[in-house]
Amino acid sequence: MTLREYAANFKTAMRVPLECSPRLVWKFAYNFGWRNLKNINQFEKRQAKGDPFFPAFIMISITETCNLSCSGCWVTPGGKKTMTPEQLDGIITESKKKGSYFFGILGGEPLLYKGLFEILEKHSDCYFQLFTNGMLITDDIALRMKKLGNITPLISIEGLKEESDHRRGKNDVFNKSLSGVKACKKAKLIFGAAASICKSNYNDLVSREYIDLLAKEGAHYLWYYIYRPVGPKPNVENALDKEEIYKLRKFIVEQRKDAPLFIIETYWDAHGNALCPAATGMSHHISPNGAVEFCPPLQMAKEYLNQDASNLTEVFEQSDFLSNLRALTVKNSRGCILLEDPRGLAEFLEKHNAVDTTTRNTVISEYKNMIPVAGHDQRGREVPEKNIFYKLMKKKYFFGFGAYG
């Protein structure tokens, strides 16, 4: 890295303490930073010793209800399943006993969940990443999140104006999401934007111009995903091919040298080797009806939480289904089994008598009909990190935890 790149990285790092409320910065540093560091160390020791399994982080989808109906989304359009407050509170409570204080809160649209902020306020020692389309973030909602201090909104933007309307099934989605971005900036929140990259939004969103736009609007990080054609309207034709995924990886690594915001992804380690966070055991997912799942788009399960989620630890420690699925996922690839081998996955799910956890009850047939598409495991074309900060973070958080031998 050059001196100019170091200076750019320092400027980016200083944006959070300079632009955000001091109390929020402290909550972020302690609840997310310090507690996460301890949690990862505990998780790593459990994995190394072969102790009973419990993931480092849990992603929680609290409702199927959403104000949009996006192409390629795994959530059932019009679905009404909603997690009980007792289960949500119990998941957080039980996780803290294992040293885990960070959670992803997903939907549907989580801001449609009644009583959400009351539960997150109760767990003021935790930190929550709220996955939202941003359309419901008003000035009042942003100020409520500021008062809590332990929430970072992650606003999903799936394209510029035309593409957002097309992908998300409504008009003026981009501008409404951008209004949520502006409300977060006004409230001095630590917040980010997310994008699921596909063919139709690649040129608009995989660009320095888009990064600069988000930074100018106040976003502190940008999370890139790879589009997964799943759900009732998969749109396989929109999936990236191998060359596009390779170019996306190169773009991310290059932009990390001097981008005005942090660029996040969870697909590659410091050396550019592909990995699956669920396969490493780093994270698993819980659906709105309490089903304990491998990851958010894989909507089949064997185990369910009880009324207050007090069996959470027992489920993770004793689940042969999750253990066997982690082993299957790393057997032939370091990539995404759902993208690369959906029919093999369907065979595994049927063999283990896994249950569809959705309202639509068509997931297994969807997997059987899926066409394999390119994943992010491209051995021989690894692109190592160039930025020393990301190298260090990746070596700590994304190195496989022994999953790949």
Side-chain angles (χ1 to χ4, degrees):
M1 290 179 64
T2 66
L3 186 61
R4 186 189 68 82
E5 289 166 352
Y6 276 114
N9 274 250
F10 178 76
K11 185 177 180 180
T12 297
M14 289 303 295
R15 283 190 56 211
V16 170
L18 290 175
E19 296 175 7
C20 302
S21 166
R23 188 174 62 88
L24 270 62
V25 175
W26 165 249
K27 283 272 191 179
F28 174 79
Y30 187 75
N31 286 16
F32 177 76
W34 173 244
R35 288 191 187 278
N36 247 345
L37 187 64
K38 290 175 65 179
N39 176 36
I40 284 289
N41 285 335
Q42 291 176 7
F43 171 74
E44 186 179 348
K45 287 177 182 177
R46 288 197 300 268
Q47 294 294 87
K49 291 179 180 178
D51 288 344
F53 173 80
F54 194 91
F57 312 114
I58 297 178
M59 311 293 282
I60 312 170
S61 288
I62 56 178
T63 180
E64 283 186 312
T65 304
C66 191
N67 53 339
L68 295 175
S69 180
C70 304
S71 170
C73 181
W74 53 83
V75 179
T76 304
K80 300 297 182 183
K81 289 184 178 180
T82 297
M83 182 173 289
T84 66
E86 292 77 18
Q87 279 191 328
L88 177 56
D89 179 56
I91 292 166
I92 300 167
T93 299
E94 294 301 311
S95 297
K96 289 196 290 187
K97 293 177 184 178
K98 302 297 289 187
S100 181
Y101 288 80
F102 175 70
F103 304 88
I105 305 295
L106 303 82
E109 172 50 57
L111 287 175
L112 291 171
Y113 185 91
K114 293 181 179 179
L116 173 63
F117 290 148
E118 286 75 11
I119 295 174
L120 304 192
E121 183 177 24
K122 178 181 177 181
H123 296 280
S124 61
D125 53 348
C126 293
Y127 205 77
F128 302 95
Q129 187 170 48
L130 188 73
F131 292 69
T132 172
N133 57 47
M135 296 173 68
L136 302 179
I137 301 180
T138 61
D139 288 348
D140 288 343
I141 292 294
L143 287 173
R144 182 73 190 275
M145 289 190 279
K146 180 180 181 180
K147 182 179 179 182
L148 268 62
N150 61 347
I151 301 172
T152 175
L154 179 61
I155 299 173
S156 172
I157 300 175
E158 296 303 323
L160 302 183
K161 190 177 186 311
E162 232 176 275
E163 175 64 11
S164 285
D165 290 354
H166 176 72
R167 276 279 298 281
R168 315 204 81 165
K170 283 193 177 180
N171 295 326
D172 206 28
V173 174
F174 177 72
N175 287 330
K176 289 176 181 176
S177 293
L178 212 56
S179 293
V181 168
K182 293 178 186 297
C184 290
K185 181 181 180 181
K186 184 178 178 181
K188 297 186 177 181
L189 297 178
I190 300 171
F191 72 98
S196 176
I197 302 302
C198 57
K199 288 184 181 296
S200 58
N201 67 14
Y202 192 100
N203 290 334
D204 284 339
L205 303 189
V206 184
S207 71
R208 184 55 181 253
E209 290 77 16
Y210 182 64
I211 291 173
D212 290 341
L213 169 66
L214 287 178
K216 183 179 178 182
E217 294 291 347
H220 299 102
Y221 61 97
L222 168 59
W223 196 331
Y224 280 121
Y225 302 99
I226 295 172
Y227 173 78
R228 286 163 288 193
V230 294
K233 299 183 290 182
N235 193 8
V236 176
E237 296 77 15
N238 212 13
L240 300 178
D241 59 38
K242 277 195 169 186
E243 193 61 29
E244 287 166 329
I245 293 174
Y246 176 67
K247 288 180 179 178
L248 173 63
R249 170 61 180 167
K250 286 186 69 176
F251 173 82
I252 290 171
V253 169
E254 287 299 317
Q255 292 303 315
R256 279 174 170 160
K257 289 180 180 180
D258 61 358
L261 45 63
F262 295 107
I263 301 178
I264 313 298
E265 46 73 24
T266 56
Y267 297 117
W268 295 278
D269 67 15
H271 303 289
N273 299 309
L275 55 74
C276 164
T280 68
M282 188 164 62
S283 70
H284 284 311
H285 175 253
I286 300 175
S287 76
N289 62 347
V292 182
E293 300 175 341
F294 188 69
C295 66
L298 208 165
Q299 299 174 290
M300 302 283 288
K302 283 279 289 183
E303 293 91 8
Y304 284 78
L305 300 181
N306 58 18
Q307 188 174 2
D308 61 358
S310 58
N311 66 334
L312 178 69
T313 298
E314 178 185 346
V315 168
F316 278 128
E317 290 183 352
Q318 299 182 9
S319 175
D320 289 334
F321 173 73
L322 290 175
S323 177
N324 291 336
L325 187 48
R326 288 194 297 271
L328 174 69
T329 303
V330 304
K331 186 176 180 181
N332 298 315
S333 172
R334 295 179 64 106
C336 175
I337 189 172
L338 189 55
L339 293 180
E340 298 172 0
D341 189 16
R343 291 178 186 174
L345 173 62
E347 290 176 9
F348 170 89
L349 296 170
E350 286 190 318
K351 179 181 176 182
H352 286 77
N353 297 312
V355 177
D356 189 326
T357 62
T358 70
T359 298
R360 64 186 183 275
N361 290 313
T362 56
V363 170
I364 196 69
S365 62
E366 291 167 13
Y367 293 168
K368 287 180 178 180
N369 292 325
M370 279 178 67
I371 299 169
V373 296
H376 57 284
D377 184 10
Q378 300 190 23
R379 295 179 204 193
R381 303 181 82 192
E382 292 83 3
V383 182
E385 296 294 342
K386 297 180 180 179
N387 182 304
I388 189 169
F389 170 77
Y390 289 95
K391 277 185 182 179
L392 292 172
M393 292 296 291
K394 290 275 188 168
K395 285 180 178 178
K396 187 61 185 172
Y397 291 97
F398 294 94
F399 58 90
F401 299 103
Y404 298 98

